[in-house]
Amino acid sequence: MKRGRPQGASVRLIVTITAPLPRLFAHRLECHWTTLTAGPDGLLVGFRDAPSELIPWQDLAGASHVHTGAVFHRLAFDGKPMLRWVGRWHRHFWGAFSQYLHQQHEPDFALQLQRIEAAVRQGYVRSSTWAKLQAQAAELLQHSDAALVQAPALPDLRYQRLGRIASGDLQLLQRYREHYLDRQQARHHTLFEKIERLPLTPSQQRACITLDDSNLVLAGAGSGKTSTLIGRAAYLIASGQAEPPDILLLAFGRQAANEMQQRLQQRLGIKLDATTFHALGQRVITAVEGRRPRISSLAEDDAKLGGWVARQFEVQLGAPEYLHLVSDYLLRFRLPAGSPFDFATENEHQRFLRTSGVRTLSEFADDSAGGAGEEMRSGAACVIADWLWSQGIDYRYRPAGIYSVGSVRVSEGNDSAENSVRPMLLAPDFYLPAQDICIDLVLFDQDEDTPAWIDPAAYQQALDALRHADAANGHHRIELRFHQQRDGSLIDDLARQFSLQGVVTQAKSDQQLLATLQESGQLQPLGDLLTQMLRCCRTLQPDAAELRDRIEASAEPQRLEMALGLLEPLHAAYRAQLAASDEIDFDDMISKALEYVEQGRFVSPWQHILVDEFQDISPLRARLIRALRDAVPGAALFAVGDDWQSIYRFTGSDVGLTTDFSGFFGPASISALDQTFRFNSSIGELASRFVLRNPAQLPKQLHSQTQVEAPAVSLLAHRSREPAKDPGVLERVLEAISQRLAAAGAASCTVMIMARNRFSLPDKVRLVQLQQRFDPLQLECRTLHAAKGCEADYAIILGLESGKYGFPAERSLDPILDALLPGGETYPHAEERRLFYVALTRARHRVYLAYNSARPSCFVTELIADEYPIEQQEFEPTR
């Protein structure tokens, strides 16, 4: 093994080479030298027609350049002729040449490394600092290496260290940082011991000390995020890196802000203002404009905003153009585009249709056509029926008995009928007697595939037979596809084919359609949707180009474009209302504050920005934070959140700002709190494994303080339609909890009853009855969203069934709202999966999952099928 020479040792080699060209060609080819000798004193050059010349190494170190070639190299010196035709095969000469020049640069290496390591010792090495040090080291090495043909054979340790810095060696960077963290942990040991009732964990302490330009702390459920935020503020002040006025502590709610402010004051005697984003926006605007902005009551009261939109909507309906747009939109898109292709079994599809209430509009019209009020077997069929009725065309829906009967292999989604062969009526979806036209919704998609639950070959045979029967009976035939309801072309294609076949229609007036739409209750849901769209657009604040991009990327582009057309005059009226009353809403406040910060009109006093619940951040708020950080040289962002608990996309939050934190805020230090103080190891193992099935979630280890061996999640199967009212569900679980309480010798415990939807929870009367019967149990009910941030000894989760109102919800957001909100995800039920994680992690000791065994939630079937650590034998099977 070769050893490097000790630092400070000198090279003593002497190597001489001769010119490779004969004297005859030397002058012609500009080879003026005869010998080159690399020795301790310098480079001795022997010339053909002049005395030899010694060039000291110290002169060559900063003035020589080597131009390499495939066979020969050239040496260039400031103020001297270039030495050409120096063969690259003279390895010993070039080795000595490089070693002597390297030795001349060693003092610079030592000085530069000393400066760099002095900078490193001053604090945590930030990403921006590391980039500057990297550039400095690279510049020095590039300057020195310009004179070298090959790396020095005996480089000193300082040269090697500079090389690692210049290359951005992350291991070296981490070593510098770890050294600083260790020193600071030891220095501020007493502080970290007293911040909370219990000392901060090592991971909490290191998170408090880490001081990059941008810092993200991933705080799992129950891992002490608030303690870490308080610890960060206390550490910055105790270490002399900040004074209280230098720190901006941001929370999403006034209650959370007050809690942190009080804990800092009471435990540490630190007076530090904690504020909300809205209060921050108000402060920025007040500082710039000299007066406090007035907040519109429409921004503070959802019901008031909904009422205002409803009144404006009614006013707009008085305009013929707007009324026509509304009528056209509702005829096309009043129903969810639930195609048979969206479901794994026919039973699932039929259950979706039953819960969606797919019935024709003609039920509510005085002059209804035949088939009035029929229940349709698909949303697309209902759209066709409504349009035919609106055009005054009589139709028969799925006319029976006019053709022969065939059979199709169908998967019904249960063991007894899996892939069963059963009759299928060979009849068109619609028959128009006056026109002798058959209209059929063909069960093929764009790729000529059938739904998953229909055998394609058998269906093709049935379809061919139907086409043959139509032709044999002389019927005209129109074929449409289910995907046309989603892309908006269904009615247009039908109208086009009617025109080709010369069908004359007698369209109802928009006023007639309006009367039917009002009678059928279709206007209120549209008004509610427009209210939600208004909120989304206020939160997102997209420009025209972004809206166009969102329309093109939407699953239902025509529906979104038409809905935005309906929203436009309402949005304009809203903006005019704010301007007339000299008011703003909360989204305006954030947007205007951002504008003032980016323009430099607001001078930020904050060197450190601390943000709570970062996973709930919206893009607009994130831009404001970034602008405040960038406005102050050396300012740092410290964000605490948990991407596993991001469940508020419907309010505008974007989980991608957490999962791709560095992508938005630049190079960052990301750490995780690895210990939870709430739930036991069994709950933690199950919940972590479950949420990490989505590969987009950031992986982290969360260790529980309480270790248990047995499963701590129990399943209770039932077949009740209303488990919250069924004594065979809640009472059984509460009795089991009471028995566990008695066995533990405890006097009381807390129990949180949760569900995805409020109507799935016990009402107040029922809760009082349960409380009276199970007095030692302190019961409370919360929706899953409202349960975030809460905890109890035991948790019961209701509503675990499939379906529109089950959990996970089949569609938690309308596709229009989904297209207008940030942070769309491709993983199935991504946010609902995180919501289930939140629910599981509310309990300290045990979670009870009450699920409907007739139509179980896919989350429960996953727990069972994939053998998660669950208890299935705690309860006797229900009858």
Side-chain angles (χ1 to χ4, degrees), residues 178-484:
E178 289 291 334
H179 182 63
Y180 178 79
L181 291 171
D182 291 340
R183 292 202 332 264
Q184 290 296 300
Q185 268 187 284
R187 181 175 299 174
H188 297 280
H189 174 76
T190 303
L191 171 69
F192 293 130
E193 290 276 328
K194 70 175 184 178
I195 284 175
E196 295 285 21
R197 182 174 55 84
L198 295 174
L200 297 189
T201 66
S203 60
Q204 285 177 315
Q205 294 179 29
R206 295 171 85 80
C208 292
I209 298 167
T210 300
L211 189 54
D212 208 340
D213 306 288
S214 298
N215 308 271
L216 174 63
V217 180
L218 297 172
S223 62
K225 68 174 182 62
T226 303
S227 298
T228 305
L229 275 164
I230 292 171
R232 171 66 157 203
Y235 166 75
L236 290 173
I237 294 169
S239 62
Q241 297 180 77
E243 296 293 332
D246 301 330
I247 300 173
L248 172 63
L249 182 52
L250 279 169
F252 277 84
R254 187 68 258 172
Q255 183 178 350
N258 288 339
E259 179 189 350
M260 289 189 286
Q261 192 168 306
Q262 290 168 8
R263 286 166 69 171
L264 279 165
Q265 173 70 40
Q266 293 170 1
R267 293 198 63 86
L268 302 168
I270 297 175
K271 291 184 178 181
L272 181 67
D273 285 336
T275 190
T276 65
F277 278 92
H278 293 155
L280 170 64
Q282 202 168 56
R283 176 172 176 174
V284 172
I285 295 171
T286 302
V288 175
E289 297 182 353
R291 65 186 183 99
R292 186 171 179 167
R294 294 174 56 199
I295 305 299
S296 169
S297 59
L298 296 179
E300 299 179 302
D301 189 333
D302 288 344
K304 193 169 185 178
L305 177 63
W308 182 89
V309 171
R311 291 190 297 274
Q312 290 296 318
F313 183 52
E314 189 172 350
V315 170
Q316 292 297 328
L317 284 173
E321 298 85 354
Y322 193 82
L323 174 57
H324 181 73
L325 287 175
V326 169
S327 301
D328 193 24
Y329 174 85
L330 288 175
L331 280 175
R332 294 169 183 264
F333 299 118
R334 72 179 180 90
L335 296 168
S339 163
F341 294 87
D342 297 336
F343 303 92
T345 68
E346 185 184 28
N347 283 345
E348 289 181 10
H349 180 228
Q350 292 304 318
R351 187 160 58 243
F352 168 80
L353 295 176
R354 286 194 297 271
T355 58
S356 299
V358 181
R359 301 187 70 85
T360 60
L361 280 174
S362 56
E363 176 183 12
F364 303 93
D366 293 334
D367 58 343
S368 58
E374 286 182 285
E375 184 174 343
M376 296 283 124
R377 294 185 60 178
S378 69
C382 199
V383 169
I384 293 171
D386 285 344
W387 187 80
L388 292 173
W389 163 78
S390 76
Q391 301 302 306
I393 296 177
D394 183 32
Y395 65 85
R396 302 291 181 266
Y397 177 60
R398 300 186 67 79
I402 60 173
Y403 299 143
S404 61
V405 175
S407 61
V408 172
R409 189 175 301 275
V410 176
S411 168
E412 297 183 353
N414 55 63
D415 294 337
S416 62
E418 190 73 27
N419 293 326
S420 63
V421 176
R422 61 180 179 77
M424 180 176 183
L425 185 66
L426 293 181
D429 286 287
F430 294 90
Y431 176 64
L432 313 185
Q435 293 80 16
D436 196 20
I437 291 177
C438 295
I439 302 173
D440 204 18
L441 277 163
V442 178
L443 286 170
F444 284 123
D445 62 12
Q446 301 98 312
D447 300 321
E448 299 301 316
D449 291 328
T450 59
W453 40 275
I454 290 183
D455 179 76
Y459 178 73
Q460 183 66 64
Q461 289 180 353
L463 180 61
D464 290 342
L466 182 58
R467 289 168 174 167
H468 178 75
D470 280 337
N473 286 279
H475 301 314
H476 299 287
R477 181 173 176 82
I478 293 175
E479 290 188 358
L480 301 168
R481 307 258 174 141
F482 281 91
H483 68 82
Q484 292 181 286

Side-chain angles (χ1 to χ4, degrees), residues 501-512:
Q501 299 196 28
V503 176
V504 178
T505 63
Q506 294 180 341
K508 291 177 172 56
S509 69
D510 289 332
Q511 288 294 341
Q512 289 175 306

Side-chain angles (χ1 to χ4, degrees), residues 64-68 73-76 94 97 101 145-149:
S64 63
H65 300 278
V66 179
H67 303 277
T68 59
H73 300 325
R74 294 173 294 160
L75 284 172
W94 289 117
F97 179 87
L101 283 181
D145 290 347
L148 305 180
V149 173

